[in-house]
Structure formats: C-alpha cells, structure tokens
Amino acid sequence: MNAPLTAPLLPDVQPRPVPPEALAALQARFGAQFSAAQAVREQHGRDESAFTHVPPPAAVVFAESTQDVADAVRLAAQWRVPVIPYGIGSSLEGHLLAVQGGISLDLSRMNRVLAVHAEDLTATVQPGVTRQQLNEALRHLGLFFPIDPGADATLGGMTATRASGTNAVRYGTMRDNVLALEVVTASGAVVRTGTRARKSSAGYDLTRLFVGSEGTLGIFTEITLRLYPLPEAVSAAVCSFPSVEAAVRTTMAIIQMGVPIARCELLDARTVRAVNRHSGLALREEPMLLMEFHGSPGGVREQAETVQALAAEHGGQAFEWASTPEERTRLWTARHHAYFAAVQSRPGCRCITTDVCVPISQLADHVTAAVAEADAAGLPYFLVGHVGDGNFHMGYLIDPDDAGERARAEALNAALVQRAIAGGGTCTGEHGVGLHKMGFLRAEAGEEALALMRAIKRALDPHDILNPGKIVAG
Amino acid sequence: MNAPLTAPLLPDVQPRPVPPEALAALQARFGAQFSAAQAVREQHGRDESAFTHVPPPAAVVFAESTQDVADAVRLAAQWRVPVIPYGIGSSLEGHLLAVQGGISLDLSRMNRVLAVHAEDLTATVQPGVTRQQLNEALRHLGLFFPIDPGADATLGGMTATRASGTNAVRYGTMRDNVLALEVVTASGAVVRTGTRARKSSAGYDLTRLFVGSEGTLGIFTEITLRLYPLPEAVSAAVCSFPSVEAAVRTTMAIIQMGVPIARCELLDARTVRAVNRHSGLALREEPMLLMEFHGSPGGVREQAETVQALAAEHGGQAFEWASTPEERTRLWTARHHAYFAAVQSRPGCRCITTDVCVPISQLADHVTAAVAEADAAGLPYFLVGHVGDGNFHMGYLIDPDDAGERARAEALNAALVQRAIAGGGTCTGEHGVGLHKMGFLRAEAGEEALALMRAIKRALDPHDILNPGKIVAG
C-alpha cells in the first residue's frame, strides 16, 4: 500500500492470528455455512474503496438466523477473533476490510421481509434485504421506503453506515427511518432496541447509537423501518445551468424557501457525459439539477413552478419534465448508476470518493473550490451531490498502481474535507468513516468527543472483537 | 410517600450526605451564584410530577457560563456530589428530584440566543432559552422552531427529555431537530458533538445519545437546532366527533393517506370543558380534533378538504375554520394550557400523567380502553393526544393526601402503559422516564437493553454523579 493511504489513514496494527481451534469450532458449528476457500475469503475482503491490498479474512460464515449470528459471535468472543459483518460489499471507505484479521460474517442469506404493517407504515426486515427488494415487496401496498444509496445496498449495511441518498432532503436518512433493531452484541446476547411507535422518550436512544456504528458495537439481525405512502403525484424535472455554482445557488434558494422538494441532485458536465454514455441518454452535457416533486397533483405543479422560476433567476435553461413513470425511472436509474458510469469511463481505475456535508449557505463555495482544485490537479473526476442537504461527492478516478495519482487524489480529498470541517460541516454525510476517514473524524470531533466514543466502544465491546480497527481505533 | 409510588417506582436509595467542604468549595467559587436558602432549595426540589415528598437538594448553583458548569461539575466530581441540571421545573416524571441528594445546577440564566444562521436554517442557543423566547427571536426572520411541549420549557430541558409536542407529526421531535451540542461531561470536560450540517455519518451519534439522557450523561451548555421557514399559509380547524374513537379513527386515516398535516390534536369532552372555562372559549364540549395545515395557500386548502371529507366519513361535525392569526393563536394557546386548565379544575389536586405512544393502527383501541378504565375508576381525568403520532396523555387528578386515589391512579397508569408496551409501543412518547417510569422502562426495554444503557452510564459517568438514580439506576 502506498504511503499517502497507509499513514495516517490505516492504523498501524497487525492482523491478529486466528487460532486454528477457533476455525475448527466455527466449522464444526456451521458446516456448509462455513468457508475458508481463497475465492470466498477474497470476495469478502474487498469493497468499493480504494484499499486493494489488505489481506482477506481468515474465513467466512454465512449466517441464516439470529441464532447463527449469536453463535458465531459467541465462538469468536471465546477466541478473541474479530468478526466483520458483510452485506453486499458496496461500502466505500474500507468498512469491511479485515485490518486486524478475523472472520467475515455474511448476512446476505438473512434476506426475508419479516413483517409489513401497512396501516402503521412500518416494516421489519432481516439485514440482508436490499433496498430494491424491500420496495418490490411494498409496491402492491402503495407504500415505499425512500432511502436509496447509489448501490442496491442491504438494509443492514445502510443501517450500519447511516446511509441516505437522493430522497433524504424530504424523508431523512437511516437515522430518521430506523425505528427499532434486534442486535447481537459482543457477548453474543440478543438485544432489542426501540419499538414500533413513531417516537419515544424511553431511556437512552440505543437505536440511534447503533445506526452508523459500522459493525463496531453490534450486528443487526432485524431492522424495523418507517414506510411512506407512495405519493399521489410524482414529477421529475431536469434543468441545465451555466455553471455548477448557479445550480448550487438555485438549490440554496429552494431550501431556504421551504419548498418540500423530494429530490434535488447535482451532476457536473463530466458526470452527465459519463451517464449519457453508460445509460444511453441524451442529456445536455452541462451542469444539471435532477429534481423530483411528490404530493398532490396541484401541489406538485406548484412546487415545480416555484422551482422553475428560481432556476430561471440563476440562468437555468431547458427545464424539462419527465412525467411518465418510464421516463422518470430511466432518469433515476441513470443517476443511481452515475458512480459506476464514472468508474467505467476510465477502465482499470479505482475511485477515491469523498463525501462531505456542509451548512447550505456555504455549499456553492465548497463545490466551486473543490472543482477548481480538481481541475488544477488534472485528475479525472466526477461530481454528484444530494445538494438539497448540503451533501456532495467528488470521485477521483486513479490508476491504482500510480502512487503519484493516489497522492494527488488524497491531497484533493484532504483539502476538501478539511475545508468542510472548518466550515462547520462534516467529513462524511452518508458514506461513513470506515478506515479512510478515521483521521478526518478525529479532526472533526476532537479528542474529547473521540474519547467518549472510545469509552462507549470499550463498554459495549470490551475485547474489541466487533469490526476492530474502524472509526475510533487507535 | 405512599406505597404505590415508592415501590417499585422509587429506587431504594438514601440521599448521599453532601460534605460541608464541598458546599464550602462551591460557595467559595460561586459566591452570590450559590444559595443554600431553604426557599431556593425547595423551589429546585419540585417539578410537575406527583412526587411531593422528596427532600430538596442541599444547595443550588446558578450557572452563567459553560465555565461555570464545568467548574461546578468538577467540584462536585471531586467530592462525589450528585449534580442535577435544572431549567424551569416543568418536568412531569420526577426528573429533577434529588433522590440521592446533591446540588441543583440552575441553567436558567444561560438564556442567550448565541447565533441564528437564517440561510442555513439553524440556531445555536444556551440551555436556559425557552421555546417561546427562541420563537420571539426568530419571528422577524420569517423562521420558527416547531417543538412545543405544553409548558414554555427551556430548550435544555426539552433536549434532555427528547420532548416533542403538537407539531411533531410534521416536523419531528427534539431527536430530529438537535443538530449539535456542547456538553459538560462527568469529569468537567467540555465536549462538542455534531456539526451544523443537516446530516452526517461521522462516527457514533453522540448527539442522539445525549438527547433524551435526562441529565444523566452530561449537561448541555449549547444547543444547535434546526429551524424552518414560517409557512406561506397556515390554517387551523376544529371538528367535533360523536366519540373519542371516531376522532382517533379519522386521525388514523389522515396519517395512512400521507396528508402532511402539521398538527392533529385530540381533546376529550371533559378537557374541552376545562379549556373553555380556563381560556374563555365556547368550543363544543364533545370529543374534538384541533388541526393545523401548513403550506402554500392551495396546498393548505387541499389538505383541509381531504381531512374534512375523512372526518365526515367518521361522523365529524361542525368542521370550523380559524384562519386569522388571532383566532389560531387563541385556539393553540388554549390547547397549550389544557394541562393547567385540567389541574385547576380540581383545586389542590396533583396530576398523575401518563404518556404513551403506540403504532397508529392500535391507537383507537388503546384510547378507548384507557377511557373506559378511567370512567370505571371514577377519578377525574383529562385526555389529550398528539394523535397523529400515536401519542396520547391521560392525567388523573388526585387528592395528594388520599392514598386510595393515588393507588387507583397508579393502577390506571400501569394498565395503560403495560398495554402500550404489549402492543409494540413505548411507555413514554415525550415526557421521559425520570423516576416514575423506571419500572416501565425495564418492562419495555428488557434486561439486556437495560444492561447496555447501564454500561453506557458507567462508561460516561463512572462515579454516578450526574442526576443519579434516574432512568437506569438500580
């Protein structure tokens, strides 16, 4: 691994050896659900981050029930073996890499929708259910679950990273939409947090503590989510702008006016070009806002008219409607593929992704500075943003074998993140800390807050077996 | 104290003696900001709960700055003296009572609005600012802060109890609207959590852990809140129903249809009568929904028409508008005084309040069972509910010197809360645990979750000096 990534971003730890007796005990308990095959281990030792050289876990256990998870953790605890939960491998910051060795606990077979309470607008799922799978199961009921990261991630992984996506500006993030959890803790105990009530003041908010804990405090085995009625009317619109700044300033005006926009996505010209090629679209290759409005037919029309007027004030052109479901699906599918479209635009590349969120009054400054720095550095990149939240991503497309490109990308990333922190924002809006952002978390939270996080980690996982070496390690 | 309240609801602990040296050290540091006068101590030793016989704190410190809070906690820590933060004394479940002795730390003088970032829709306040004070400071900016418990509580207290109120159905609770905190921890350290960004995935959600911790994990010295643009149009409506059940079923239909109603309040006939007398109104003394709609003029009209049609299907009558600001203010002020109106309807009484929140499909059953039981018990009571959230309150108005009445009220409360827990709901939607709900929290959360809460408490407050004996004690 190259210097700019390893120091200080990867903690200086050695993989702990996994005792053969521990592997034997896991194999005895799990039989065909246990694998130490090289290919299986390697598949569970990589994600979408730029870290490519961390050794894979020593073995993989495929859990099929809460009991399986509890037994796997209990055996691991007995031998002090790290356990890393695994959903679908779409994390972006190195969350699931086995930096201290141990086993991967694959939850993808726990993929049942356990209950849908349509009248209460709640559903309970196993952690391996993906967001698209859940929405398939809900559609006939006239309901949906709004949180939509780019990948078709598992709801377990989305809970673990406090994920959000394009709808968060209207519907909130996983923080707001997880009502209750069943969690296996570091001792193998099965704990329930929260209830199906919409709100509660009953004691410490354990649910919110687990949401975003990235597998370091417990492993989710059931997740109860808030659902929403499918809106009566939906319309999408695209609008092109003379500059990224003009698009961002339009967004700021929309939010400050309180327009209840459901989605407000920024793509820069390069990203529109990649999306056009990848998804066979013919969007104008200029900075673009891709928006969606939810409500009654009259309400949707009214929102769109307000937004169109605001866009025009900032030089927005070619405001176009996508009112049929097919057109809308095509646009949003293309948007969800933007990351992969960009990565495929440079064959063989790895992507170093950034993800910051800033107070919205500063958004235009942060985006334009990031673009100027990336242009000056001469690296290929893409820019997308859930800009209604003040959240945006740059992805620097690097040759993984070129240490110079890595260093330049990391320097761009560091400058952008440090600027966000200095401006009262956060080093990650939705991707999480994983390995890559540990140094930035320290800068953002400060030593005192980090000490509290470490105290909580020690209290809940005294032997440091749950996804060790992430978030607060060191 | 009478048996039904003390056992098992009050833990069996003795007030710890406060060493005279500790009081001397506090007095030396705080001078005129320190008081051991009987009247001051007694004022800080009572709240709106039914607990009337707990001895007051040994002294009161009036903090005027973060440094004051840190110094008071550091001195208290040195002598292992309990510290109980105090805002305005409006808590309902015994949160601030000095069951283990110690000092009260009065934060009401820390009442400055430190910053309003209108473009970002955020404000930073000291903990002694009240919700009305904040809204006064915001009005000229066209902004508001929606969370509104019945009392004009302090934002510190509201954060500590994870408060909500009438607007939560649309705008969420304190959980959703606190972005960041400055907190003095048990060691006297000053910690900042969260940022001014609207969302974040940066590490453990310390902000959400502190929100609702009722002074047991840290003392808030700055609170950063989300604000909202005042809606373009607002209209309120009242509608009378033949039964409480019909009103509740109307609410269920409104929520299940996804109408973005801003307020949806239930009052039973008795409570309407008390409100009429207290506030000089002439509302029909029947079960009533008091509603409010926020949006554009067209959107508000549309929502109200939908709701009126749903109400009519359930026998709703006399759907009346309050469209002038004066009429609306009069109605909502009356609603906010409902608790005090009810308490004043029986001179000399104390109120044993309940506060449960259930999945909305069960709301009608829970409300009707609670009403039937209260009618059968023959105690005066009132019923109000933030029913759009599935949250409702009964208040039993008892003679505090009549052990029989206390016992009957506690039995009604216990039956109602246990039914809510059994139905997948929570023992408190917004009032918090304090002393009164500790037994119910155990029933709701289970021993395993309670053990996690205790582990967190021990990790963050190893000497148990922050509001000890509450939430998870014992």
Side-chain angles (χ1 to χ4, degrees), chain A residues 49-101:
Chain A
S49 76
F51 299 108
T52 49
H53 303 297
V54 178
V60 180
V61 169
F62 293 87
E64 295 179 357
S65 67
T66 299
Q67 191 61 52
D68 281 354
V69 175
D71 287 354
V73 172
R74 229 175 277 129
L75 284 168
Q78 188 181 331
W79 300 95
R80 306 283 191 265
V81 170
V83 181
I84 305 166
Y86 183 96
I88 207 166
S90 56
S91 56
L92 290 162
E93 302 288 5
H95 300 76
L96 60 78
L97 302 183
V99 283
Q100 299 196 14

Side-chain angles (χ1 to χ4, degrees), chain A residues 18-203:
Chain A
V18 176
E21 302 92 318
L23 293 178
L26 286 162
Q27 186 157 29
R29 163 63 179 83
F30 287 102
Q33 291 170 248
F34 173 94
S35 174
Q38 187 69 17
V40 174
R41 291 169 52 212
E42 281 180 359
Q43 186 214 337
H44 288 78
R46 62 171 175 255
D47 60 9
E48 294 289 333
S49 76
F51 299 108
T52 49
H53 303 297
V54 178
V60 180
V61 169
F62 293 87
E64 295 179 357
S65 67
T66 299
Q67 191 61 52
D68 281 354
V69 175
D71 287 354
V73 172
R74 229 175 277 129
L75 284 168
Q78 188 181 331
W79 300 95
R80 306 283 191 265
V81 170
V83 181
I84 305 166
Y86 183 96
I88 207 166
S90 56
S91 56
L92 290 162
E93 302 288 5
H95 300 76
L96 60 78
L97 302 183
V99 283
Q100 299 196 14
I103 62 163
S104 177
L105 186 58
D106 185 313
L107 300 156
S108 63
R109 295 183 188 172
M110 292 179 68
N111 64 353
R112 282 186 304 134
V113 176
L114 298 172
V116 177
H117 292 96
E119 286 200 320
D120 294 324
L121 304 172
T122 72
T124 299
V125 302
Q126 290 186 312
V129 172
T130 71
R131 63 176 180 84
Q132 288 180 4
Q133 183 193 344
L134 175 59
N135 278 316
E136 289 297 327
L138 296 175
R139 190 161 299 141
H140 73 286
L141 297 166
L143 300 173
F144 79 116
F145 181 70
I147 316 298
D148 64 338
D152 185 23
T154 64
L155 289 155
M158 290 165 61
T159 304
T161 53
R162 207 182 292 127
S164 51
T166 66
N167 288 294
V169 63
R170 171 75 171 262
Y171 298 96
T173 73
M174 291 302 280
R175 186 192 83 188
D176 311 296
N177 288 290
V178 176
L179 284 169
L181 292 169
E182 183 187 78
V183 184
V184 171
T185 64
S187 64
V190 180
V191 177
R192 289 185 169 275
T193 74
T195 71
R196 291 205 304 111
R198 277 168 65 122
K199 65 183 195 185
S200 173
S201 289

Side-chain angles (χ1 to χ4, degrees), chain B residues 357-402:
Chain B
C357 189
V358 298
I360 201 157
S361 67
Q362 302 177 27
L363 182 60
D365 293 345
H366 284 262
V367 171
T368 51
V371 166
E373 286 171 351
D375 285 338
L379 275 183
Y381 67 91
F382 71 95
L383 165 65
V384 295
H386 313 307
V387 282
D389 287 319
N391 181 206
F392 70 97
H393 310 303
M394 303 272 293
Y396 308 105
L397 307 173
I398 62 159
D399 173 350
D401 300 319
D402 183 331

Side-chain angles (χ1 to χ4, degrees), chain B residues 16 73-74 76-83 100 186-188 216 456-469:
Chain B
R16 309 182 208 170
V73 171
R74 229 176 276 130
Q78 188 182 330
W79 300 95
R80 305 284 191 265
V81 169
V83 181
Q100 299 197 12
S187 64
T216 66
I456 291 166
K457 169 71 172 169
R458 274 195 305 273
L460 269 57
D461 181 18
H463 302 302
D464 199 22
I465 62 162
L466 294 177
N467 203 7

Side-chain angles (χ1 to χ4, degrees), chain A residues 177-335:
Chain A
N177 288 290
V178 176
L179 284 169
L181 292 169
E182 183 187 78
V183 184
V184 171
T185 64
S187 64
V190 180
V191 177
R192 289 185 169 275
T193 74
T195 71
R196 291 205 304 111
R198 277 168 65 122
K199 65 183 195 185
S200 173
S201 289
Y204 304 155
D205 194 344
L206 295 178
T207 305
R208 242 55 53 191
L209 181 63
F210 282 116
V211 173
S213 63
E214 302 184 7
T216 66
L217 298 180
I219 298 176
F220 313 139
T221 47
E222 284 185 23
I223 304 163
T224 298
L225 301 163
R226 277 183 76 161
L227 307 176
Y228 296 84
L230 280 168
E232 191 189 352
V234 176
S235 75
V238 293
C239 185
S240 296
F241 289 87
S243 67
V244 162
E245 181 173 358
V248 171
R249 293 207 178 276
T250 302
T251 304
M252 289 161 62
I254 292 167
I255 298 304
Q256 286 158 5
M257 280 197 61
V259 177
I261 195 165
R263 292 167 143 174
C264 187
E265 296 289 304
L266 170 71
L267 290 81
D268 77 330
R270 289 165 182 251
T271 311
V272 177
R273 197 173 313 132
V275 162
N276 275 343
R277 285 194 199 150
H278 184 268
S279 299
L281 296 178
L283 299 163
R284 284 165 69 119
E285 295 182 354
E286 295 172 0
M288 185 182 98
L289 286 182
L290 173 52
M291 294 167 283
E292 195 165 274
F293 308 98
H294 294 177
S296 66
V300 160
R301 194 162 46 244
E302 202 174 53
Q303 290 175 48
E305 283 165 6
T306 304
V307 166
Q308 187 163 9
L310 291 171
E313 286 175 27
H314 293 88
Q317 290 182 27
F319 197 95
E320 274 177 44
W321 293 100
S323 44
T324 71
E326 295 72 24
E327 281 177 278
R328 282 205 314 275
T329 301
R330 211 156 151 242
L331 270 178
W332 287 109
T333 303
R335 165 63 190 86

Side-chain angles (χ1 to χ4, degrees), chain A residues 411-460:
Chain A
L412 289 169
N413 182 25
L416 183 158
V417 171
Q418 282 158 7
R419 196 162 42 235
I421 294 170
T426 180
C427 66
T428 169
E430 56 181 20
H431 293 171
V433 174
L435 293 171
H436 196 200
K437 292 252 166 109
M438 289 174 65
F440 298 130
L441 174 63
R442 185 171 299 128
E444 175 180 327
E447 288 303 327
E448 293 284 3
L450 218 63
L452 288 190
M453 293 187 201
R454 288 203 184 104
I456 291 166
K457 168 72 171 169
R458 274 195 305 273
L460 269 57

